[in-house]
Amino acid sequence: MQFRSLKGIQDILPPESYVWQKIEETSRETFKKYGYHEIRLPIIESTELFTRSIGETSDIVEKEMYTFNDKGDRSVTLRPEGTASLVRAYVEHHLYNEPSPQKYYYIGPMFRYERPQAGRFRQFHQIGAEVLGSEDPSLDAEIVSMLNAILRRLGIDGFDIEITSIGCKTCRPDFKTELKKSLADRLGLFCEDCNRRFDLNPLRTLDCKVPSCIEARKGSPAIIDFLCGECSRHMNGLKHGLSLLNIPFVINPNMVRGLDYYTRTAFEVTQGSPGSQKAIAAGGRYDGLVAEFGGPPIPGIGFAIGAERIVPLIKESLTVRESPDLFFCTLGKEASEKSFVLTSQLREKGLWVEMNYDTSSLKSQMRKADRLGAKNVIVLGEDELKNGRATIKNMKDKNEIAVAFDAGDILKAISK
RNA sequence: GUGAGUGUAGCUCAACUGGCAGAGCAUCUGACUGUGGCUCAGAGGGUCGCGGGUUCAACCCCCGUCACUCACCCCA
């Protein structure tokens, strides 16, 4: 019986795993400078946590969740995103009693039951950051700037930071009716999907990629023109903040969020040709979510980077693997045991040491050492055992030095 | 959920559109009784995704099925 990983769920093998380590390290270092602390959240939660926050009619909830009943007949779900869990933990542990704002980050797998595609998987990984406890737009600017910093430090460029505001409880409904009024008389020009969207969620017609729809919606009202005073001031505050920090951005008034809890600021980092999966990170403000989860009316903002979407963009994708400092070639059982012990001692001293395990010709052992890229090789055979000295060969310059069977001597010899 | 494409060695791909399943790379061995890379020689490795059908004969044609890939919807 041959097993395969499940559809859309993949192994991350070396050397690519080193690219992942680099992404995680760079993110952690950057988060630290901005005062974000790691929070480790469960990957499984009660189903209702997601249906309530993400929205009953969102695509994620309607068709993309890994939901099942546990043995206690409770409906549970593998998390499709991180914000809901974070806010749950924030409220559950009364973290609003800590000084505001509270800044958190998380790194981990998310699950969505979708048809896999380039840059889209059923298990994928997000690097997310969330701030709770302030609605100051300078925080919006700061978090966008932090996202920018992480991507830059990873050597990624050629991306756009798109921002917009999607309004709040007061102004969004007004805009929705205005938009419907504007679209109503030319519905025939739009595609089938847009006609469906017109009833369900008219805002989505603004995001349609069908060329005829792009043409047809020209001149439609844009949400940023309908923002209430508060939202408008907030949006300007964000733009001002980004300008102060010299973060280039573009305003995309057609941006739409797939999750219901977003308010005001929404942003997206896009890269590459227009089409699918150009978003490598996305985020926004969710000022009503904490209260929705039974906490005080505390605002929040966050983003998530799609790890799978930046891996291919990282220039160091072809990271050269590090190589062992020393490889022991052995001939005979006694030599093998001797190097077994020396190998262990040298590792204690901090070296990366490999040895030959199976009996094979010296030639093939040398070949193996070479394939591993070993910097030095020690040959231990009958002659060496007789003399009590072995030779270390530097694989690069081919020099050989005689050493005693002593971890200290060997260490000294190869650190020259 | 919808549509299209592709499944042959560990990897990348051939096989005259029906006639004995191949190459390159990789692996292992040898040339060189105990010294790697280069070169040369050889070896191992296949239920041609799976099941059925047509045929004297199927990797090739037909039907079904599964998997993978890409795209749509949507999203990180």
Side-chain angles (χ1 to χ4, degrees), chain A residues 240-309:
Chain A
H240 181 61
L242 290 174
S243 304
L244 287 176
L245 297 175
N246 283 315
I247 309 285
F249 63 91
V250 293
I251 293 173
N252 176 2
N254 296 330
M255 198 192 304
V256 171
R257 300 278 79 171
L259 289 69
D260 281 3
Y261 55 64
Y262 282 116
T263 55
R264 288 188 177 168
T265 304
F267 56 94
E268 213 162 272
V269 178
T270 58
Q271 197 270 351
S273 53
S276 63
Q277 285 87 58
K278 63 184 182 131
I280 59 179
R285 185 163 272 286
Y286 43 90
D287 289 343
L289 192 55
V290 175
E292 167 78 22
F293 278 8
I298 284 177
I301 180 169
F303 68 74
I305 300 171
E308 281 80 358
R309 297 201 177 164

Side-chain angles (χ1 to χ4, degrees), chain A residues 26-263:
Chain A
T26 302
S27 302
R28 288 178 195 279
E29 284 165 15
T30 311
F31 286 138
K32 191 173 181 186
K33 291 180 192 168
Y34 282 78
Y36 286 67
H37 304 289
E38 183 178 17
I39 183 165
R40 300 207 178 192
L41 300 162
I43 61 167
I44 184 168
E45 297 268 10
S46 80
T47 299
E48 204 188 347
L49 178 76
F50 301 115
T51 55
R52 282 279 291 280
S53 57
I54 297 170
E56 303 271 1
T57 60
S58 67
D59 271 43
I60 292 180
V61 169
E62 274 188 347
K63 49 184 203 189
E64 295 175 2
M65 294 211 303
Y66 272 94
T67 297
F68 57 94
N69 284 0
D70 68 9
K71 289 184 193 291
D73 209 31
R74 288 170 285 258
S75 180
V76 295
T77 295
L78 259 38
R79 64 179 184 192
E81 59 107 34
T83 305
S85 296
L86 178 110
V87 172
R88 191 222 79 232
Y90 181 80
V91 173
E92 180 172 338
H93 302 289
H94 313 288
L95 298 174
Y96 41 78
N97 290 329
E98 305 285 325
S100 284
Q102 287 285 304
K103 303 173 172 180
Y104 304 99
Y105 77 86
Y106 54 83
I107 297 176
M110 306 292 163
F111 303 84
R112 290 184 200 172
Y113 194 87
E114 300 179 88
R115 283 280 281 268
Q117 203 180 318
R120 176 189 298 164
F121 307 92
R122 289 187 172 180
Q123 176 177 335
F124 59 103
H125 298 78
Q126 287 190 336
I127 299 162
E130 316 276 352
V131 187
L132 291 152
S134 171
E135 58 177 358
D136 193 296
S138 64
L139 199 53
D140 299 45
E142 185 187 275
I143 205 170
V144 170
S145 131
M146 180 171 73
L147 172 55
N148 180 64
I150 291 172
L151 297 174
R152 294 273 171 208
R153 288 193 56 195
L154 284 167
I156 299 171
D157 49 23
F159 57 80
D160 285 324
I161 298 174
E162 301 180 11
I163 65 164
T164 192
S165 174
I166 56 171
C168 62
K169 278 197 188 93
T170 8
C171 49
R172 203 177 338 174
D174 291 346
F175 171 68
K176 211 180 266 188
T177 41
E178 198 64 32
L179 180 65
K180 285 188 91 160
K181 210 190 298 172
S182 154
L183 297 178
D185 54 334
R186 48 194 160 128
L187 268 180
L189 299 174
F190 287 89
C191 69
E192 222 175 285
D193 283 328
C194 278
N195 275 276
R196 207 188 64 230
R197 291 180 186 119
F198 178 78
D199 294 317
L200 263 101
N201 190 347
L203 297 186
R204 285 197 193 285
T205 58
L206 297 173
D207 198 36
C208 185
K209 291 162 197 110
V210 176
S212 54
C213 294
I214 295 174
E215 187 61 32
R217 68 169 175 252
K218 275 185 179 162
S220 304
I223 178 111
I224 47 175
D225 298 324
F226 284 79
L227 296 178
C228 62
E230 284 287 301
C231 286
S232 179
R233 269 192 295 281
H234 192 272
M235 173 79 176
N236 286 331
L238 167 61
K239 289 195 285 189
H240 181 61
L242 290 174
S243 304
L244 287 176
L245 297 175
N246 283 315
I247 309 285
F249 63 91
V250 293
I251 293 173
N252 176 2
N254 296 330
M255 198 192 304
V256 171
R257 300 278 79 171
L259 289 69
D260 281 3
Y261 55 64
Y262 282 116
T263 55

Side-chain angles (χ1 to χ4, degrees), chain A residues 325 340-353 407-408 411:
Chain A
D325 299 302
F340 186 60
V341 173
L342 282 170
T343 296
S344 168
Q345 292 171 346
L346 285 161
R347 286 171 178 161
E348 285 295 314
K349 292 182 182 297
L351 293 187
W352 176 3
V353 186
L411 179 63

Side-chain angles (χ1 to χ4, degrees), chain A residues 19 22-23 154-156 310-318:
Chain A
V19 176
K22 180 174 167 72
I23 290 171
L154 284 167
I156 299 171
I310 60 173
V311 166
L313 304 179
I314 294 182
K315 296 190 177 73
E316 291 84 355
S317 285
L318 304 166

Side-chain angles (χ1 to χ4, degrees), chain A residues 328 330 333-343 380 385 405:
Chain A
F328 274 91
T330 61
K333 188 164 195 303
E334 197 186 338
S336 182
E337 289 196 344
K338 195 111 204 162
S339 45
F340 186 60
V341 173
L342 282 170
T343 296
L380 258 185
L385 289 171
F405 298 152

